[in-house]
Amino acid sequence: MTVSVSLTVNGEAVSADVEPRTLLVQMLREELGLTGTHVGCDTSQCGACVVHVDGESVKACTLLAVQAEGADVKTIEGVADGDTLHPMQQAFHENHGLQCGFCTPGMIMSALDLVKNNPDPSEREIREWLEGNLCRCTGYHNIVKSIDAGARAMRG
Amino acid sequence: MTEQGIGAAVARREDRRFVTGQGHYTDDINRRGQTYACFVRSPHAHATLNGVDTAAAGAMPGVRAIFVGEDMAEVGPLICGWAITDVNGEPFRAPPHPALAIGKVNYAGEAVAVVIADTLEQAKDAAAAVEVDYGLLDAVVDPAQATAGGQPQIHEAAPGNLSFEWALGDKAAVDAVFDGAAHVTSLEFANNRLVPNAMEPRACVAEYDAGSGEHTLHIASQNPHVHRLVMSAFHGLAPEHKLRVVAPDVGGGFGSKIFIYAEEVVLTWAASRVRRPIKWTAERSESFLTDAHGRDHVTTAELALDSDGKFLAMRVDTTANMGAYLSTFASAVPTYLYATLLAGQYTTGGIYCNVKAVFTNTVPVDAYRGAGRPEAAYVVERLVEAAAAETGRDPADLRKTNFVPTDAFPYETPVIMQYDCGDFAGSMDQALDLAGYGGFQARKAESKAGGRLRGIGFSSYIEACGVAPSAAAGSLGAGVGLWESANIRFNPTGNVQLFTGCHSHGQGHETAYAQIVADKLGVPYEQVEVIHGDSSKIPFGMGTYGSRSAAVGGSAIVKAADKVIEKGRKIAAHTLEASEDDIEFAGGNFTVKGTDKAMNIAEVAFTAYVPHNYPEGLEPGLDETAFYDPLNFSFPAGTHICEVEVDPETGSVSIERYAAVDDFGVLINPLIVEGQVHGGIGQGVGQAMLEHAVYDGAGQLVSGSYMDYTMPRADDVPSYDVGFNGVPSPLNPLGVKGCGEAGAIAAPAAVMNAVHDALRDVGVGHIEMPATPLRVWQAIQDAAA
């Protein structure tokens, strides 16, 4: 049995027929080919799959695709403006805020939600906000630095 | 230094695809007609396998095949590629490890069968319907007890659950020194078992082309050619020329993606049976149960000192848990990557180390970031710190008293290593400054006034990197050579492709290697493309681990660049009508000495491909390959200083300061190097304070998910103060030493020495890793009782 799910992803209306047990992250990756959203665990701990649903950061493994019916979803593929990186993406690049890159999309999506609510976060606030995002490569040092720099760039 | 040459902090070119979600990891690959594999895994740690009933599962929708161990009898078992000779002169016991279990299972998570179905859901549903008849056996879990009488026997071929007993050093001579020593420091401790936890789970997609007979394996691997070699030579899955192994973007490795695992062997074999591409991606729970774990030593260590504090001798006895089978390089980790580093940075006179490698009913243990060297650094640096406390000496001064002096290089240690160069005291002094050591007592007093305990800990580590000189490795048991290759290919229009046998899974080779090529050949950085990870494109390669990519892979690039310049000189001499000896090469230009007659290397490349006016007898084309075998290991070293504050009410430990000064020789890209140091420290802090793979008495992994296994999170770790004191290595053309593992090697001892220092004031003598709040609080209570 499949159900039809229609939603907006990165500004485009999309729909797919999925099994009811399909997670949002599976639909994004397998049905829509948006493989920038990653799966790093099976307990909703790692945050590699963070996307924005109606403007809020959400782990896409915690939501069934059918729960996203009608929602406005943004993934890492929708963050840059054409070839121009978003200031947060640029900050990760300039501050070496990534190594293997696997956690990076989730980190950036999480960071954008932080800065939306707290445009000038302290180091402690950044570290605490990242509680739901695991990185094994960077020791977090440059991720924190990147988010700080990204927030500054977004404040203008 | 040019703007984007060696030494420049160039922001990485690979970032763009990763920050925009355009990376290509193995699980992102999908093939037409692709099927999915789901493995049936033993829920028991130790059991006979009496039968596997696949009838019901085989009839379920979408199922194409189910295979069990006996079906794969023609496929060779998984191997251990580093032979160790036992103290009794016999070879080590390396019992067979079939890719799918036959007759018996030896750890919880071991693969018993594989289901291949059209969708992942169908494969999972059918795997749940496979009925396995297990005959339960008692499990061997505690490595310290594994060889004791009365323990269950895991492998017939390894009596007493012993793989090997191995020793290094002159025991009688060392014992004699201990007998006459003014002071002996003794410690007993475990080096806690860890799970590597690269954020990208292991994955593979296997394909078979019946028309050409070619197998293609896309896999999250640190060394695709090593995968191809082993799968061809030992598993007999396909001849090397019919097996293509592609490791695309790989989301971290830390050692865990070096090894040849059951899953890729099964998928490669099965793809030619079902004649469909097959995909498998580990769920994180499977990663915990199947990725080779790290560390897991139980050690007794002693240091003998004279009355002036000079280190006279060291005696170490270690039991190393190998898990249920010997993984690909498992036997090298607690032997040649461990005991050979026990001299540390010191002039210790004699060293004796005995290692028992034992089997238990747990996941196989193999190299994890640092691999043997973190265990060695922990032994040495915990002993030194304890000796300083016991003899009332300043821990920095005691180290300086014993450092190998700067003028003593090359320095032969008592444990078969020859250190090439270093400045141990200089790094210590720089680290003391960076850590603000002078102000520590004031900060400690301030903490005390607030009811908190403050401690400081040192770790003056050394490691052997640049793995490895092939002849030396071979004489010690390695089954492979450990050189590296590089192919520099100019295109007629002047841009360059570099093909390297190393593999980047976060290290930034696409940037750093392009910097080397740009620097050596004077080609614009933007015009250099770095290609890695595909056995059909790269001449051959041994991959990336053991901090080898700069020292070995980078040196191969320099050698290939030298060949390009050599050929270019001939072409330029001919074109410029000069003698070869009169041609100088600098900044991308071949110039006739003393004149302004010059030819750019791009023009030379064009001439090489359009050889209308060309030296007689010279081959067209500008495409040079070099293989580089290092002369020795390289020896990165440094001092890390950690300062912690302990809340005695809760036992929680917070890292207040962390300073690291490392000697990595020449830095190719300081931005990347700093990132490597940060990441290593993060993992070392994780080992010291948070991480532990815990088994219960039945052999069940209790900390088998991110709900239970404490991964370091952003608010568990501090910002790090990182400095460098580079002494260029004289042994490779770049003067580099390797930086990938230093943090993970240094940090556990630095953190734990700081924790011990803080707790000394309340009478606590010993704490094991990880120093969790519960452990610390309990130790404080016990000391007060």
Side-chain angles (χ1 to χ4, degrees):
Chain A
M1 188 193 86
T2 59
V3 286
S4 177
V5 180
S6 298
L7 59 163
T8 304
V9 179
N10 300 331
E12 278 184 39
V14 296
S15 61
D17 294 327
V18 299
E19 285 193 47
R21 61 178 164 176
T22 304
L23 301 171
L24 176 60
V25 67
Q26 292 173 308
M27 177 173 166
L28 293 171
R29 289 181 56 81
E30 307 299 333
E31 304 297 330
L32 305 178
L34 295 169
T35 54
T37 303
H38 297 148
V39 179
C41 77
D42 46 14
T43 52
S44 293
Q45 295 283 307
C46 81
C49 68
V50 170
V51 299
H52 294 175
V53 177
D54 295 329
E56 302 281 330
S57 63
V58 170
K59 288 177 176 171
C61 70
T62 60
L63 215 59
L64 294 166
V66 293
Q67 291 175 286
E69 172 71 31
D72 184 11
V73 173
K74 184 185 262 192
T75 71
I76 189 69
E77 288 92 342
V79 172
D81 178 12
D83 284 341
T84 306
L85 295 181
H86 185 281
M88 187 61 77
Q89 292 171 313
Q90 186 66 28
F92 269 72
H93 168 60
E94 287 172 4
N95 293 281
H96 191 25
L98 62 148
Q99 291 181 26
C100 82
F102 196 79
C103 76
T104 310
M107 286 286 176
I108 290 174
M109 298 311 283
S110 231
L112 289 173
D113 197 21
L114 166 67
V115 176
K116 189 183 78 178
N117 295 302
N118 180 358
D120 188 9
S122 67
E123 178 184 340
R124 181 47 45 195
E125 286 170 331
I126 294 171
R127 288 184 181 275
E128 284 172 2
W129 179 264
L130 293 181
E131 213 235 356
N133 291 81
L134 292 177
C135 167
R136 193 57 154 171
C137 293
T138 64
Y140 299 101
H141 183 109
N142 283 345
I143 291 177
V144 173
K145 208 171 148 189
S146 299
I147 295 174
D148 179 58
R152 209 175 321 121
M154 287 167 68
R155 289 196 302 274
Chain B
M1 185 177 90
T2 60
E3 208 174 306
Q4 289 165 317
I6 292 170
V10 179
R12 302 190 323 169
R13 55 172 54 172
E14 44 272 82
D15 291 349
R16 173 167 275 273
R17 67 178 184 272
F18 295 132
V19 301
T20 54
Q22 305 299 320
H24 290 288
Y25 301 90
T26 300
D27 189 61
D28 301 339
I29 294 167
N30 290 302
R31 286 286 180 257
R32 188 182 293 275
Q34 176 173 293
T35 62
Y36 295 81
C38 180
F39 287 85
V40 178
R41 300 188 181 280
S42 172
H44 307 296
H46 200 194
T48 56
L49 196 51
N50 301 330
V52 183
D53 183 352
T54 62
M60 290 173 68
V63 175
R64 288 187 177 262
I66 302 178
F67 298 112
V68 297
E70 283 80 1
D71 295 324
M72 294 184 66
E74 71 197 42
V75 176
L78 303 173
I79 57 135
C80 177
W82 197 298
I84 299 290
T85 303
D86 193 285
V87 287
N88 67 13
E90 301 282 316
F92 68 167
R93 269 70 68 188
H97 184 184
L100 294 175
I102 298 175
K104 192 163 178 282
V105 289
N106 293 312
Y107 67 95
E110 185 168 1
V112 169
V114 63
V115 176
I116 295 154
D118 289 345
T119 70
L120 180 58
E121 289 72 22
Q122 287 169 337
K124 283 184 180 183
D125 289 346
V130 172
E131 295 205 14
V132 186
D133 179 7
Y134 295 101
L136 298 194
L137 301 169
D138 287 340
V140 183
V141 178
D142 180 358
Q145 298 300 317
T147 57
Q151 288 285 310
Q153 178 70 35
I154 300 174
H155 300 288
E156 255 179 56
N161 300 319
L162 182 69
S163 177
F164 59 85
E165 182 172 354
W166 174 90
L168 186 65
D170 183 340
K171 183 171 190 307
V174 167
D175 286 348
V177 175
F178 268 88
D179 290 344
H183 183 85
V184 173
T185 292
S186 300
L187 294 175
E188 283 182 41
F189 48 76
N191 200 287
N192 44 324
R193 186 182 182 106
L194 305 175
V195 182
N197 274 309
M199 292 315 302
E200 180 210 19
R202 285 193 296 116
C204 44
V205 179
E207 298 177 79
Y208 177 68
D209 182 332
S212 65
E214 182 173 290
H215 295 256
T216 301
L217 175 68
H218 299 266
I219 182 168
S221 167
Q222 297 176 222
N223 34 232
H225 277 95
V226 176
H227 261 90
R228 190 182 71 163
L229 175 63
V230 172
M231 293 174 76
S232 179
F234 294 93
H235 302 302
L237 292 165
E240 276 185 279
H241 64 287
K242 292 290 188 188
L243 176 57
R244 177 184 174 202
V245 179
V246 184
D249 287 330
V250 172
F254 315 111
S256 70
K257 292 169 181 169
I258 297 171
F259 320 120
I260 288 75
Y261 290 93
E263 290 81 9
E264 50 260 34
V265 171
V266 171
L267 257 70
T268 302
W269 175 82
S272 64
R273 298 297 179 287
V274 301
R275 299 290 172 104
R276 289 287 189 120
I278 311 173
K279 179 189 254 188
W280 171 78
T281 301
E283 297 191 350
R284 182 57 60 182
S285 310
E286 279 185 294
S287 305
F288 273 98
L289 291 176
T290 64
D291 290 5
H293 291 183
R295 319 284 191 253
D296 209 352
H297 286 191
V298 182
T299 292
T300 304
E302 299 163 283
L303 180 66
L305 298 89
D306 71 10
S307 53
D308 297 327
K310 289 293 265 185
F311 303 159
L312 301 175
M314 186 181 289
R315 200 158 51 188
V316 178
D317 187 81
T318 291
T319 298
N321 191 354
M322 298 283 96
Y325 300 96
L326 288 184
S327 174
T328 314
F329 289 111
S331 53
V333 177
T335 52
Y336 293 109
L337 294 173
Y338 169 64
T340 54
L341 276 308
L342 289 172
Q345 300 188 3
Y346 311 109
T347 54
T348 311
I351 297 173
Y352 175 75
C353 178
N354 181 279
V355 177
K356 284 190 198 67
V358 303
F359 291 113
T360 60
N361 293 114
T362 61
V363 176
V365 176
D366 207 324
Y368 165 62
R369 199 170 195 170
R373 291 152 290 171
E375 296 91 316
Y378 194 70
V379 168
V380 175
E381 291 304 291
R382 282 288 301 123
L383 275 176
V384 170
E385 200 90 354
E390 288 172 8
T391 61
R393 290 184 163 86
D394 177 88
D397 289 343
L398 180 63
R399 285 178 168 86
K400 284 187 184 176
T401 303
N402 287 281
F403 279 153
V404 175
T406 312
D407 60 5
F409 298 101
Y411 178 80
E412 295 277 351
T413 74
V415 277
I416 69 169
M417 286 294 185
Q418 188 190 71
Y419 298 162
D420 56 349
C421 62
D423 174 20
F424 303 153
S427 296
M428 168 64 88
D429 286 338
Q430 205 176 318
L432 289 170
D433 278 351
L434 197 59
Y437 190 49
F440 171 68
Q441 290 304 335
R443 295 192 292 275
K444 187 176 172 75
E446 200 177 314
S447 293
K448 194 173 180 185
R452 287 166 190 257
L453 309 167
R454 188 174 280 253
I456 195 162
F458 296 77
S459 179
S460 295
Y461 74 98
I462 194 162
E463 46 173 332
C465 292
V467 174
S470 295
S475 73
L476 302 178
V480 290
L482 288 158
W483 42 264
E484 197 45 76
S485 77
N487 169 224
I488 294 177
R489 185 178 304 168
F490 267 82
N491 294 314
T493 50
N495 48 40
V496 178
Q497 288 168 292
L498 167 73
F499 298 83
T500 169
C502 284
H503 185 275
S504 181
H505 28 280
Q507 296 87 344
H509 295 170
E510 290 168 42
T511 300
Y513 283 172
Q515 289 178 253
I516 296 175
V517 173
D519 194 287
K520 293 295 172 190
L521 294 178
V523 179
Y525 164 82
E526 295 77 16
Q527 292 190 21
V528 183
E529 186 74 15
V530 176
I531 295 121
H532 63 96
D534 185 340
S535 70
S536 72
K537 294 181 180 169
I538 315 298
F540 204 98
M542 296 309 296
T544 287
Y545 41 81
S547 305
R548 70 191 303 275
S549 296
V552 190
S555 295
I557 296 168
V558 175
K559 293 285 177 193
D562 288 345
K563 289 186 180 181
V564 167
I565 294 165
E566 215 38 53
K567 185 167 183 180
R569 193 187 306 279
K570 290 183 169 57
I571 297 167
H574 178 86
T575 308
L576 299 171
E577 299 177 332
S579 127
E580 252 182 72
D581 294 341
D582 288 338
I583 300 290
E584 289 174 333
F585 180 74
N589 291 309
F590 293 92
T591 308
V592 182
K593 243 182 249 176
T595 75
D596 59 357
K597 284 168 67 180
M599 200 174 169
N600 185 267
I601 196 165
E603 296 172 276
V604 167
F606 183 80
T607 307
Y609 286 98
V610 188
H612 295 166
N613 175 18
Y614 202 65
E616 197 178 322
L618 190 68
E619 288 179 21
L622 196 54
D623 182 336
E624 296 291 341
T625 298
F627 286 67
Y628 175 80
D629 203 337
L631 300 169
N632 189 0
F633 293 93
S634 59
F635 295 94
T639 290
H640 289 207
I641 303 175
C642 178
E643 199 168 312
V644 300
E645 201 178 60
V646 177
D647 180 349
E649 299 294 316
T650 63
S652 74
V653 178
S654 71
I655 296 179
E656 298 297 310
R657 288 167 168 241
Y658 195 104
V661 173
D662 297 296
D663 168 11
F664 298 137
V666 172
L667 307 184
I668 295 167
N669 182 325
L671 186 67
I672 291 176
V673 173
E674 283 178 18
Q676 291 292 310
V677 175
H678 298 155
I681 296 171
Q683 286 177 332
V685 168
Q687 168 160 30
M689 294 175 54
L690 303 164
E691 299 179 41
H692 198 183
V694 180
Y695 279 91
D696 70 11
Q700 294 295 331
L701 180 60
V702 178
S703 50
S705 83
Y706 288 153
M707 309 286 278
D708 314 290
Y709 184 95
T710 316
M711 289 278 281
R713 290 169 195 263
D715 58 356
D716 293 318
V717 294
S719 284
Y720 318 104
D721 295 316
V722 174
F724 299 107
N725 177 32
V727 181
S729 170
L731 293 179
N732 65 65
L734 286 166
V736 295
K737 296 186 175 179
C739 65
E741 297 163 292
I745 292 168
V751 174
M752 291 306 289
N753 282 336
V755 171
H756 280 90
D757 185 49
L759 296 180
R760 200 169 286 126
D761 293 348
V762 290
V764 172
H766 180 68
I767 290 264
E768 290 279 9
M769 296 190 287
T772 60
L774 174 61
R775 271 195 178 151
V776 171
W777 181 85
Q778 191 64 57
I780 293 170
Q781 303 309 306
D782 292 349

